[in-house]
Amino acid sequence: MSRIADLQTPAVLIDLDIAQVNLQRAQQAADKAGLQLRPHIKTHKLPFFARRQVALGAMGITVQKLGEAEVMADAGLDDLLLTFNIIGAAKLGRLKALHDRVTIRVVADSLACVEGLAATFTDPSRPLGVFVECDTGMGRCGVQSPEAALDLARTIIAAPGLAFAGLMTYPAAGKYAAANHWLAEAKALFDAENIPVPAITTGGTPDIWHMQDASGIATEYRPGTYIYMDRSQVAAGAATFDDCALTVLATVVSRPTEHRAIIDAGSKALTSDLLGLVGHGYVLEYPDARIVGLSEEHGTIDVSDCPEKPQIGDLVRIVPNHCCPVTNLFDQVHLVRADSVLETLQVAARGRVD
Amino acid sequence: MSRIADLQTPAVLIDLDIAQVNLQRAQQAADKAGLQLRPHIKTHKLPFFARRQVALGAMGITVQKLGEAEVMADAGLDDLLLTFNIIGAAKLGRLKALHDRVTIRVVADSLACVEGLAATFTDPSRPLGVFVECDTGMGRCGVQSPEAALDLARTIIAAPGLAFAGLMTYPAAGKYAAANHWLAEAKALFDAENIPVPAITTGGTPDIWHMQDASGIATEYRPGTYIYMDRSQVAAGAATFDDCALTVLATVVSRPTEHRAIIDAGSKALTSDLLGLVGHGYVLEYPDARIVGLSEEHGTIDVSDCPEKPQIGDLVRIVPNHCCPVTNLFDQVHLVRADSVLETLQVAARGRVD
């Protein structure tokens, strides 16, 4: 077992005990709310944690890319929801190959998308489950009204090789009440037509501790970031810094002025994601430090408010603004406890861009 | 030979002819200015292009990480400048191993950094070349005054296993005149003390076509982005969109409203880098489109100003704001000409974080 202090930087550390508590706490909240949990693995991209999420009670996992689905299926995960429109012959072929070996469901928000699926999946004895994606306020993908959701569901139901799986949304952060209202309206429309809605799936870590407000409407919840948490979730009130399992270990490589420290973690380690925040992360050892700038390989820290200032060669641990894209930048992450490295994992689904 | 239209998206395309013209044009500008060119390979991370840059007349290459240096040395590149402070025993050991097999020089901007180098490199018959990094306005690493540069150079000269290699700066974009002035002042100080300055190295693509203004002061120039160019360089006046060799190929996966198109390229393909720009890239086929938002796997495009609007399944090519971190997100890039894919290259130095 090696020590954190012996790692070369920048490096990604995952505090295993904190991650475990985050996983358990969310599963307990879901159990209490009567919701199934279907964690989004985009955050960790690791079969190690996907298996652990399922072992703790998750009904399956969520993936965002076919490539992520393939990695997870290879690792033995066998109940997947792919929350992305699959368009084009090559990707439909890959989806078909996945459907032949695991349970995988997808989403659609247009006739064009459903037509592609319907032309590829034609076996009524093993239909592909398709959710209608609903834009409940996020302004991204999704049908624009409950009526449009009903229309698209009818098209799915009419396709012999497809099965209507239900409604799916990714709610805008902090707008879960509006999302719940939208979904309830849609459900009422389906009920009035006697069309069963097998599942209603919503999610998002920012509103995870309001999960119970979705119960009675939604049946499943798909949080991703909750396993690691990050500075944006702290800002959203969903976590404290003590709940943040992922940190970027960096070395102070320059102290050019009294007020400036430069670390070897820039945008290629922390990403440029701001998510509405000021600055690029939170330095655990120097709460008064402000990461004021990033170039690709340098982070510039204003240490003028720090009573004690870091010296060249010092190690610091940074909670990034957004943990999900950070894991996508590193081939490996290190599972740690206190000062020790317990295990180093390859990020199996890193860079699965398509 | 396959077609671009057959690629799965998102994918990175490099127009080989445009890249070649960019390389040639910069080499010619350097030749004309009497400057040596030492291209920064952080942009492409490919031995393929590093070799081509040297074949066209570059004196060697610049790297930003030991991991990049190791990949390039393995590929036969044998004259490297590593423009990053190397701190700590493990990295000093890797630097020593590199120094044993290729010509590699480094930078330093502090006594602490020089002391680490001096303790590791002790052989006067094969000294390590060390540049003093100068902060000429960038506000990142670097000594803060010409006097401090002279002081640090004296320490380097006094170390038996080190050789003073000269002065190095990365000038702030658009402030090359101030950088040149700073370097000229420093050079005068060294001259007054009869201390030879073997080289003065500056760089940056934003001011590449003002390279000749640095001649007479600098001896070498280290541009990186110039091989591919990007939207930020167009904004800086260093390129037109016709000069942009790198594009991200994406598919329109949703048209939820009349004015909104969603593509399968988000921040994990285009990065969140804004570099002072509004929006997240330039869509070649739809000059009036505005990429107004990115989440990890989705790009949201406002197509309200487009006379013709993209349809689901359409392919688009996007010039990103900043091409360097884009290549760090993909395992492969595709060399293309017109509609054809000529060759697919593994991004050998991708993810070499340390």
Side-chain angles (χ1 to χ4, degrees), chain A residues 8-9 42 65 91 94 109 135 140 254 260 272-273 295-297, chain B residues 8-9 42 65 91 94 109 135 140 254 260 272-273 295-297:
Chain A
Q8 293 190 53
T9 59
K42 75 187 178 82
K65 291 276 160 168
K91 291 194 174 176
R94 288 166 66 192
D109 69 351
D135 181 359
R140 204 167 65 181
S254 180
R260 191 196 309 159
S272 298
D273 277 19
S295 41
E296 285 158 63
E297 308 288 9
Chain B
Q8 293 189 51
T9 60
K42 75 185 177 84
K65 292 275 159 165
K91 291 193 175 178
R94 289 166 64 192
D109 69 350
D135 182 0
R140 206 168 62 182
S254 180
R260 190 195 313 160
S272 297
D273 277 19
S295 40
E296 286 160 62
E297 307 288 9

PDB file of all heavy atoms in Angstrom, chain A residues 8-9 42 65 91 94 109 135 140 254 260 272-273 295-297, chain B residues 8-9 42 65 91 94 109 135 140 254 260 272-273 295-297:
ATOM      1  N   GLN A   8       2.659  10.804  -8.207  1.00  0.00           N
ATOM      2  CA  GLN A   8       3.033  11.920  -9.069  1.00  0.00           C
ATOM      3  C   GLN A   8       1.769  12.698  -9.428  1.00  0.00           C
ATOM      4  O   GLN A   8       0.689  12.121  -9.560  1.00  0.00           O
ATOM      5  CB  GLN A   8       3.771  11.409 -10.306  1.00  0.00           C
ATOM      6  CG  GLN A   8       5.130  10.818  -9.915  1.00  0.00           C
ATOM      7  CD  GLN A   8       6.008  10.512 -11.104  1.00  0.00           C
ATOM      8  OE1 GLN A   8       6.236  11.366 -11.946  1.00  0.00           O
ATOM      9  NE2 GLN A   8       6.505   9.297 -11.164  1.00  0.00           N
ATOM     10  N   THR A   9       1.929  13.983  -9.570  1.00  0.00           N
ATOM     11  CA  THR A   9       0.767  14.858  -9.742  1.00  0.00           C
ATOM     12  C   THR A   9       0.753  15.480 -11.140  1.00  0.00           C
ATOM     13  O   THR A   9       1.805  15.566 -11.762  1.00  0.00           O
ATOM     14  CB  THR A   9       0.806  15.991  -8.697  1.00  0.00           C
ATOM     15  OG1 THR A   9       2.029  16.731  -8.889  1.00  0.00           O
ATOM     16  CG2 THR A   9       0.730  15.470  -7.297  1.00  0.00           C
ATOM     17  N   LYS A  42     -21.770   8.002 -15.702  1.00  0.00           N
ATOM     18  CA  LYS A  42     -20.921   8.991 -16.378  1.00  0.00           C
ATOM     19  C   LYS A  42     -19.945   9.653 -15.400  1.00  0.00           C
ATOM     20  O   LYS A  42     -18.883  10.117 -15.800  1.00  0.00           O
ATOM     21  CB  LYS A  42     -21.770  10.062 -17.050  1.00  0.00           C
ATOM     22  CG  LYS A  42     -22.368  11.066 -16.074  1.00  0.00           C
ATOM     23  CD  LYS A  42     -23.329  12.023 -16.733  1.00  0.00           C
ATOM     24  CE  LYS A  42     -23.947  12.968 -15.730  1.00  0.00           C
ATOM     25  NZ  LYS A  42     -23.130  14.120 -15.388  1.00  0.00           N
ATOM     26  N   LYS A  65     -23.598   7.077 -23.287  1.00  0.00           N
ATOM     27  CA  LYS A  65     -22.989   6.788 -24.588  1.00  0.00           C
ATOM     28  C   LYS A  65     -23.034   5.286 -24.824  1.00  0.00           C
ATOM     29  O   LYS A  65     -22.916   4.494 -23.876  1.00  0.00           O
ATOM     30  CB  LYS A  65     -21.513   7.233 -24.581  1.00  0.00           C
ATOM     31  CG  LYS A  65     -21.333   8.743 -24.537  1.00  0.00           C
ATOM     32  CD  LYS A  65     -21.428   9.329 -25.924  1.00  0.00           C
ATOM     33  CE  LYS A  65     -21.724  10.802 -25.910  1.00  0.00           C
ATOM     34  NZ  LYS A  65     -21.536  11.426 -27.223  1.00  0.00           N
ATOM     35  N   LYS A  91     -24.631   3.264 -35.222  1.00  0.00           N
ATOM     36  CA  LYS A  91     -24.935   3.231 -33.786  1.00  0.00           C
ATOM     37  C   LYS A  91     -26.132   2.330 -33.503  1.00  0.00           C
ATOM     38  O   LYS A  91     -26.176   1.647 -32.467  1.00  0.00           O
ATOM     39  CB  LYS A  91     -25.150   4.642 -33.264  1.00  0.00           C
ATOM     40  CG  LYS A  91     -23.838   5.438 -33.267  1.00  0.00           C
ATOM     41  CD  LYS A  91     -23.902   6.700 -32.457  1.00  0.00           C
ATOM     42  CE  LYS A  91     -22.515   7.333 -32.415  1.00  0.00           C
ATOM     43  NZ  LYS A  91     -22.505   8.619 -31.710  1.00  0.00           N
ATOM     44  N   ARG A  94     -24.805  -1.072 -33.191  1.00  0.00           N
ATOM     45  CA  ARG A  94     -24.167  -1.328 -31.890  1.00  0.00           C
ATOM     46  C   ARG A  94     -25.219  -1.520 -30.798  1.00  0.00           C
ATOM     47  O   ARG A  94     -25.066  -2.355 -29.901  1.00  0.00           O
ATOM     48  CB  ARG A  94     -23.228  -0.171 -31.529  1.00  0.00           C
ATOM     49  CG  ARG A  94     -21.962  -0.147 -32.374  1.00  0.00           C
ATOM     50  CD  ARG A  94     -21.224   1.184 -32.243  1.00  0.00           C
ATOM     51  NE  ARG A  94     -20.709   1.390 -30.908  1.00  0.00           N
ATOM     52  CZ  ARG A  94     -20.236   2.575 -30.469  1.00  0.00           C
ATOM     53  NH1 ARG A  94     -20.237   3.638 -31.275  1.00  0.00           N
ATOM     54  NH2 ARG A  94     -19.760   2.683 -29.259  1.00  0.00           N
ATOM     55  N   ASP A 109     -37.036  11.313 -28.660  1.00  0.00           N
ATOM     56  CA  ASP A 109     -37.853  12.525 -28.518  1.00  0.00           C
ATOM     57  C   ASP A 109     -38.370  13.006 -29.860  1.00  0.00           C
ATOM     58  O   ASP A 109     -38.840  14.133 -29.971  1.00  0.00           O
ATOM     59  CB  ASP A 109     -37.071  13.632 -27.796  1.00  0.00           C
ATOM     60  CG  ASP A 109     -35.924  14.194 -28.618  1.00  0.00           C
ATOM     61  OD1 ASP A 109     -35.602  13.617 -29.684  1.00  0.00           O
ATOM     62  OD2 ASP A 109     -35.351  15.217 -28.208  1.00  0.00           O
ATOM     63  N   ASP A 135     -38.879  17.321 -22.201  1.00  0.00           N
ATOM     64  CA  ASP A 135     -38.190  18.562 -21.813  1.00  0.00           C
ATOM     65  C   ASP A 135     -39.057  19.276 -20.780  1.00  0.00           C
ATOM     66  O   ASP A 135     -39.992  19.991 -21.116  1.00  0.00           O
ATOM     67  CB  ASP A 135     -37.977  19.435 -23.053  1.00  0.00           C
ATOM     68  CG  ASP A 135     -37.235  20.728 -22.718  1.00  0.00           C
ATOM     69  OD1 ASP A 135     -36.908  20.963 -21.531  1.00  0.00           O
ATOM     70  OD2 ASP A 135     -36.974  21.511 -23.655  1.00  0.00           O
ATOM     71  N   ARG A 140     -33.114  21.243 -23.332  1.00  0.00           N
ATOM     72  CA  ARG A 140     -32.140  20.464 -24.082  1.00  0.00           C
ATOM     73  C   ARG A 140     -32.955  19.538 -24.981  1.00  0.00           C
ATOM     74  O   ARG A 140     -33.712  20.046 -25.790  1.00  0.00           O
ATOM     75  CB  ARG A 140     -31.249  19.701 -23.078  1.00  0.00           C
ATOM     76  CG  ARG A 140     -29.900  19.341 -23.616  1.00  0.00           C
ATOM     77  CD  ARG A 140     -28.974  18.880 -22.486  1.00  0.00           C
ATOM     78  NE  ARG A 140     -29.424  17.641 -21.847  1.00  0.00           N
ATOM     79  CZ  ARG A 140     -28.798  17.041 -20.815  1.00  0.00           C
ATOM     80  NH1 ARG A 140     -27.708  17.585 -20.303  1.00  0.00           N
ATOM     81  NH2 ARG A 140     -29.255  15.923 -20.298  1.00  0.00           N
ATOM     82  N   SER A 254       5.430  26.726  -8.399  1.00  0.00           N
ATOM     83  CA  SER A 254       6.026  28.058  -8.481  1.00  0.00           C
ATOM     84  C   SER A 254       5.342  28.972  -7.482  1.00  0.00           C
ATOM     85  O   SER A 254       4.151  28.820  -7.190  1.00  0.00           O
ATOM     86  CB  SER A 254       5.889  28.612  -9.910  1.00  0.00           C
ATOM     87  OG  SER A 254       6.460  29.900 -10.019  1.00  0.00           O
ATOM     88  N   ARG A 260       0.901  34.880  -5.231  1.00  0.00           N
ATOM     89  CA  ARG A 260       0.553  33.955  -6.307  1.00  0.00           C
ATOM     90  C   ARG A 260       1.248  32.613  -6.110  1.00  0.00           C
ATOM     91  O   ARG A 260       2.448  32.565  -5.848  1.00  0.00           O
ATOM     92  CB  ARG A 260       0.965  34.541  -7.662  1.00  0.00           C
ATOM     93  CG  ARG A 260       0.413  33.783  -8.868  1.00  0.00           C
ATOM     94  CD  ARG A 260       1.155  34.162 -10.166  1.00  0.00           C
ATOM     95  NE  ARG A 260       1.221  35.600 -10.374  1.00  0.00           N
ATOM     96  CZ  ARG A 260       2.106  36.206 -11.164  1.00  0.00           C
ATOM     97  NH1 ARG A 260       2.993  35.486 -11.853  1.00  0.00           N
ATOM     98  NH2 ARG A 260       2.119  37.512 -11.289  1.00  0.00           N
ATOM     99  N   SER A 272     -12.426  23.379 -17.538  1.00  0.00           N
ATOM    100  CA  SER A 272     -12.792  24.800 -17.477  1.00  0.00           C
ATOM    101  C   SER A 272     -14.224  25.005 -17.006  1.00  0.00           C
ATOM    102  O   SER A 272     -14.714  26.139 -17.007  1.00  0.00           O
ATOM    103  CB  SER A 272     -12.640  25.439 -18.862  1.00  0.00           C
ATOM    104  OG  SER A 272     -11.307  25.383 -19.282  1.00  0.00           O
ATOM    105  N   ASP A 273     -14.899  23.941 -16.615  1.00  0.00           N
ATOM    106  CA  ASP A 273     -16.302  24.077 -16.211  1.00  0.00           C
ATOM    107  C   ASP A 273     -16.432  25.045 -15.037  1.00  0.00           C
ATOM    108  O   ASP A 273     -15.781  24.867 -14.000  1.00  0.00           O
ATOM    109  CB  ASP A 273     -16.870  22.714 -15.787  1.00  0.00           C
ATOM    110  CG  ASP A 273     -17.331  21.890 -16.976  1.00  0.00           C
ATOM    111  OD1 ASP A 273     -16.904  22.187 -18.101  1.00  0.00           O
ATOM    112  OD2 ASP A 273     -18.121  20.947 -16.769  1.00  0.00           O
ATOM    113  N   SER A 295      -4.630  27.696 -17.138  1.00  0.00           N
ATOM    114  CA  SER A 295      -4.314  27.385 -18.519  1.00  0.00           C
ATOM    115  C   SER A 295      -4.217  25.869 -18.582  1.00  0.00           C
ATOM    116  O   SER A 295      -4.629  25.190 -17.643  1.00  0.00           O
ATOM    117  CB  SER A 295      -3.081  28.136 -19.010  1.00  0.00           C
ATOM    118  OG  SER A 295      -2.075  28.176 -18.048  1.00  0.00           O
ATOM    119  N   GLU A 296      -3.756  25.328 -19.684  1.00  0.00           N
ATOM    120  CA  GLU A 296      -3.929  23.889 -19.819  1.00  0.00           C
ATOM    121  C   GLU A 296      -3.247  23.103 -18.696  1.00  0.00           C
ATOM    122  O   GLU A 296      -3.822  22.165 -18.146  1.00  0.00           O
ATOM    123  CB  GLU A 296      -3.400  23.424 -21.183  1.00  0.00           C
ATOM    124  CG  GLU A 296      -4.356  23.799 -22.300  1.00  0.00           C
ATOM    125  CD  GLU A 296      -3.679  23.847 -23.649  1.00  0.00           C
ATOM    126  OE1 GLU A 296      -3.200  22.789 -24.085  1.00  0.00           O
ATOM    127  OE2 GLU A 296      -3.615  24.925 -24.267  1.00  0.00           O
ATOM    128  N   GLU A 297      -2.009  23.482 -18.377  1.00  0.00           N
ATOM    129  CA  GLU A 297      -1.243  22.685 -17.406  1.00  0.00           C
ATOM    130  C   GLU A 297      -0.912  23.451 -16.136  1.00  0.00           C
ATOM    131  O   GLU A 297      -0.243  22.925 -15.263  1.00  0.00           O
ATOM    132  CB  GLU A 297       0.058  22.187 -18.062  1.00  0.00           C
ATOM    133  CG  GLU A 297      -0.112  21.472 -19.392  1.00  0.00           C
ATOM    134  CD  GLU A 297      -0.724  20.072 -19.272  1.00  0.00           C
ATOM    135  OE1 GLU A 297      -1.173  19.694 -18.181  1.00  0.00           O
ATOM    136  OE2 GLU A 297      -0.752  19.363 -20.300  1.00  0.00           O
TER     137      GLU A 297
ATOM    138  N   GLN B   8     -18.292   7.476 -36.970  1.00  0.00           N
ATOM    139  CA  GLN B   8     -19.223   7.675 -35.868  1.00  0.00           C
ATOM    140  C   GLN B   8     -18.828   8.950 -35.117  1.00  0.00           C
ATOM    141  O   GLN B   8     -17.651   9.293 -35.034  1.00  0.00           O
ATOM    142  CB  GLN B   8     -19.241   6.449 -34.960  1.00  0.00           C
ATOM    143  CG  GLN B   8     -19.834   5.240 -35.695  1.00  0.00           C
ATOM    144  CD  GLN B   8     -20.091   4.054 -34.791  1.00  0.00           C
ATOM    145  OE1 GLN B   8     -20.715   4.184 -33.748  1.00  0.00           O
ATOM    146  NE2 GLN B   8     -19.616   2.895 -35.204  1.00  0.00           N
ATOM    147  N   THR B   9     -19.811   9.627 -34.599  1.00  0.00           N
ATOM    148  CA  THR B   9     -19.593  10.952 -34.005  1.00  0.00           C
ATOM    149  C   THR B   9     -19.814  10.918 -32.498  1.00  0.00           C
ATOM    150  O   THR B   9     -20.528  10.044 -32.014  1.00  0.00           O
ATOM    151  CB  THR B   9     -20.544  11.977 -34.632  1.00  0.00           C
ATOM    152  OG1 THR B   9     -21.903  11.559 -34.390  1.00  0.00           O
ATOM    153  CG2 THR B   9     -20.297  12.129 -36.114  1.00  0.00           C
ATOM    154  N   LYS B  42       1.962  20.226 -27.577  1.00  0.00           N
ATOM    155  CA  LYS B  42       0.763  20.061 -26.751  1.00  0.00           C
ATOM    156  C   LYS B  42      -0.511  20.127 -27.580  1.00  0.00           C
ATOM    157  O   LYS B  42      -1.536  19.582 -27.187  1.00  0.00           O
ATOM    158  CB  LYS B  42       0.722  21.118 -25.659  1.00  0.00           C
ATOM    159  CG  LYS B  42       0.328  22.500 -26.191  1.00  0.00           C
ATOM    160  CD  LYS B  42       0.415  23.578 -25.134  1.00  0.00           C
ATOM    161  CE  LYS B  42       0.078  24.944 -25.716  1.00  0.00           C
ATOM    162  NZ  LYS B  42      -1.361  25.237 -25.778  1.00  0.00           N
ATOM    163  N   LYS B  65       4.892  18.494 -20.505  1.00  0.00           N
ATOM    164  CA  LYS B  65       4.843  17.480 -19.462  1.00  0.00           C
ATOM    165  C   LYS B  65       5.945  16.468 -19.700  1.00  0.00           C
ATOM    166  O   LYS B  65       6.282  16.168 -20.864  1.00  0.00           O
ATOM    167  CB  LYS B  65       3.480  16.761 -19.518  1.00  0.00           C
ATOM    168  CG  LYS B  65       2.312  17.636 -19.126  1.00  0.00           C
ATOM    169  CD  LYS B  65       2.136  17.644 -17.623  1.00  0.00           C
ATOM    170  CE  LYS B  65       1.366  18.826 -17.119  1.00  0.00           C
ATOM    171  NZ  LYS B  65       0.906  18.650 -15.747  1.00  0.00           N
ATOM    172  N   LYS B  91       9.843  12.980 -10.347  1.00  0.00           N
ATOM    173  CA  LYS B  91       9.893  13.620 -11.665  1.00  0.00           C
ATOM    174  C   LYS B  91      11.328  13.962 -12.060  1.00  0.00           C
ATOM    175  O   LYS B  91      11.688  13.878 -13.245  1.00  0.00           O
ATOM    176  CB  LYS B  91       8.992  14.856 -11.690  1.00  0.00           C
ATOM    177  CG  LYS B  91       7.519  14.460 -11.621  1.00  0.00           C
ATOM    178  CD  LYS B  91       6.589  15.596 -11.944  1.00  0.00           C
ATOM    179  CE  LYS B  91       5.151  15.068 -11.967  1.00  0.00           C
ATOM    180  NZ  LYS B  91       4.172  16.113 -12.230  1.00  0.00           N
ATOM    181  N   ARG B  94      12.696  10.933 -13.608  1.00  0.00           N
ATOM    182  CA  ARG B  94      12.243  10.738 -14.996  1.00  0.00           C
ATOM    183  C   ARG B  94      12.984  11.694 -15.932  1.00  0.00           C
ATOM    184  O   ARG B  94      13.327  11.347 -17.063  1.00  0.00           O
ATOM    185  CB  ARG B  94      10.737  10.940 -15.093  1.00  0.00           C
ATOM    186  CG  ARG B  94       9.931   9.825 -14.437  1.00  0.00           C
ATOM    187  CD  ARG B  94       8.467  10.205 -14.251  1.00  0.00           C
ATOM    188  NE  ARG B  94       7.786  10.416 -15.517  1.00  0.00           N
ATOM    189  CZ  ARG B  94       6.575  10.980 -15.622  1.00  0.00           C
ATOM    190  NH1 ARG B  94       5.936  11.400 -14.530  1.00  0.00           N
ATOM    191  NH2 ARG B  94       6.015  11.141 -16.793  1.00  0.00           N
ATOM    192  N   ASP B 109      12.181  28.865 -12.354  1.00  0.00           N
ATOM    193  CA  ASP B 109      11.894  30.264 -11.997  1.00  0.00           C
ATOM    194  C   ASP B 109      12.092  30.514 -10.509  1.00  0.00           C
ATOM    195  O   ASP B 109      11.639  31.541  -9.995  1.00  0.00           O
ATOM    196  CB  ASP B 109      10.482  30.668 -12.441  1.00  0.00           C
ATOM    197  CG  ASP B 109       9.387  29.978 -11.633  1.00  0.00           C
ATOM    198  OD1 ASP B 109       9.703  29.047 -10.853  1.00  0.00           O
ATOM    199  OD2 ASP B 109       8.214  30.369 -11.779  1.00  0.00           O
ATOM    200  N   ASP B 135       8.450  36.071 -16.293  1.00  0.00           N
ATOM    201  CA  ASP B 135       7.062  36.527 -16.364  1.00  0.00           C
ATOM    202  C   ASP B 135       7.048  37.911 -16.997  1.00  0.00           C
ATOM    203  O   ASP B 135       7.241  38.920 -16.327  1.00  0.00           O
ATOM    204  CB  ASP B 135       6.464  36.553 -14.958  1.00  0.00           C
ATOM    205  CG  ASP B 135       4.999  36.981 -14.967  1.00  0.00           C
ATOM    206  OD1 ASP B 135       4.450  37.254 -16.062  1.00  0.00           O
ATOM    207  OD2 ASP B 135       4.399  37.030 -13.876  1.00  0.00           O
ATOM    208  N   ARG B 140       1.798  34.275 -14.780  1.00  0.00           N
ATOM    209  CA  ARG B 140       1.753  32.851 -14.427  1.00  0.00           C
ATOM    210  C   ARG B 140       3.081  32.539 -13.749  1.00  0.00           C
ATOM    211  O   ARG B 140       3.402  33.163 -12.742  1.00  0.00           O
ATOM    212  CB  ARG B 140       1.519  32.050 -15.721  1.00  0.00           C
ATOM    213  CG  ARG B 140       0.861  30.734 -15.533  1.00  0.00           C
ATOM    214  CD  ARG B 140       0.396  30.137 -16.851  1.00  0.00           C
ATOM    215  NE  ARG B 140       1.479  29.875 -17.797  1.00  0.00           N
ATOM    216  CZ  ARG B 140       1.317  29.389 -19.036  1.00  0.00           C
ATOM    217  NH1 ARG B 140       0.096  29.118 -19.480  1.00  0.00           N
ATOM    218  NH2 ARG B 140       2.329  29.164 -19.837  1.00  0.00           N
ATOM    219  N   SER B 254     -31.296  15.839 -32.161  1.00  0.00           N
ATOM    220  CA  SER B 254     -32.629  16.262 -31.743  1.00  0.00           C
ATOM    221  C   SER B 254     -32.907  17.644 -32.309  1.00  0.00           C
ATOM    222  O   SER B 254     -31.999  18.463 -32.457  1.00  0.00           O
ATOM    223  CB  SER B 254     -32.724  16.279 -30.208  1.00  0.00           C
ATOM    224  OG  SER B 254     -34.007  16.683 -29.771  1.00  0.00           O
ATOM    225  N   ARG B 260     -34.143  25.272 -31.968  1.00  0.00           N
ATOM    226  CA  ARG B 260     -33.116  24.569 -31.208  1.00  0.00           C
ATOM    227  C   ARG B 260     -32.701  23.275 -31.899  1.00  0.00           C
ATOM    228  O   ARG B 260     -33.556  22.507 -32.319  1.00  0.00           O
ATOM    229  CB  ARG B 260     -33.641  24.250 -29.802  1.00  0.00           C
ATOM    230  CG  ARG B 260     -32.568  23.727 -28.842  1.00  0.00           C
ATOM    231  CD  ARG B 260     -33.180  23.091 -27.587  1.00  0.00           C
ATOM    232  NE  ARG B 260     -34.236  23.896 -26.980  1.00  0.00           N
ATOM    233  CZ  ARG B 260     -35.152  23.411 -26.141  1.00  0.00           C
ATOM    234  NH1 ARG B 260     -35.140  22.136 -25.792  1.00  0.00           N
ATOM    235  NH2 ARG B 260     -36.088  24.204 -25.664  1.00  0.00           N
ATOM    236  N   SER B 272     -15.096  23.153 -22.277  1.00  0.00           N
ATOM    237  CA  SER B 272     -15.830  24.348 -21.834  1.00  0.00           C
ATOM    238  C   SER B 272     -15.021  25.617 -22.021  1.00  0.00           C
ATOM    239  O   SER B 272     -15.464  26.692 -21.606  1.00  0.00           O
ATOM    240  CB  SER B 272     -16.190  24.216 -20.347  1.00  0.00           C
ATOM    241  OG  SER B 272     -17.043  23.126 -20.142  1.00  0.00           O
ATOM    242  N   ASP B 273     -13.848  25.516 -22.627  1.00  0.00           N
ATOM    243  CA  ASP B 273     -13.004  26.706 -22.788  1.00  0.00           C
ATOM    244  C   ASP B 273     -13.737  27.795 -23.572  1.00  0.00           C
ATOM    245  O   ASP B 273     -14.213  27.557 -24.684  1.00  0.00           O
ATOM    246  CB  ASP B 273     -11.724  26.349 -23.555  1.00  0.00           C
ATOM    247  CG  ASP B 273     -10.655  25.761 -22.636  1.00  0.00           C
ATOM    248  OD1 ASP B 273     -10.995  25.308 -21.533  1.00  0.00           O
ATOM    249  OD2 ASP B 273      -9.481  25.759 -23.045  1.00  0.00           O
ATOM    250  N   SER B 295     -23.687  20.696 -22.335  1.00  0.00           N
ATOM    251  CA  SER B 295     -23.511  19.844 -21.164  1.00  0.00           C
ATOM    252  C   SER B 295     -22.518  18.767 -21.590  1.00  0.00           C
ATOM    253  O   SER B 295     -21.892  18.886 -22.643  1.00  0.00           O
ATOM    254  CB  SER B 295     -24.844  19.314 -20.630  1.00  0.00           C
ATOM    255  OG  SER B 295     -25.704  18.951 -21.656  1.00  0.00           O
ATOM    256  N   GLU B 296     -22.319  17.748 -20.773  1.00  0.00           N
ATOM    257  CA  GLU B 296     -21.187  16.888 -21.086  1.00  0.00           C
ATOM    258  C   GLU B 296     -21.273  16.258 -22.471  1.00  0.00           C
ATOM    259  O   GLU B 296     -20.296  16.239 -23.220  1.00  0.00           O
ATOM    260  CB  GLU B 296     -21.050  15.805 -20.008  1.00  0.00           C
ATOM    261  CG  GLU B 296     -20.495  16.368 -18.715  1.00  0.00           C
ATOM    262  CD  GLU B 296     -20.796  15.488 -17.528  1.00  0.00           C
ATOM    263  OE1 GLU B 296     -20.332  14.349 -17.514  1.00  0.00           O
ATOM    264  OE2 GLU B 296     -21.520  15.934 -16.619  1.00  0.00           O
ATOM    265  N   GLU B 297     -22.449  15.756 -22.803  1.00  0.00           N
ATOM    266  CA  GLU B 297     -22.565  15.019 -24.070  1.00  0.00           C
ATOM    267  C   GLU B 297     -23.486  15.687 -25.076  1.00  0.00           C
ATOM    268  O   GLU B 297     -23.699  15.162 -26.162  1.00  0.00           O
ATOM    269  CB  GLU B 297     -23.059  13.587 -23.797  1.00  0.00           C
ATOM    270  CG  GLU B 297     -22.249  12.819 -22.753  1.00  0.00           C
ATOM    271  CD  GLU B 297     -20.864  12.375 -23.219  1.00  0.00           C
ATOM    272  OE1 GLU B 297     -20.424  12.800 -24.303  1.00  0.00           O
ATOM    273  OE2 GLU B 297     -20.224  11.596 -22.477  1.00  0.00           O
TER     274      GLU B 297
END
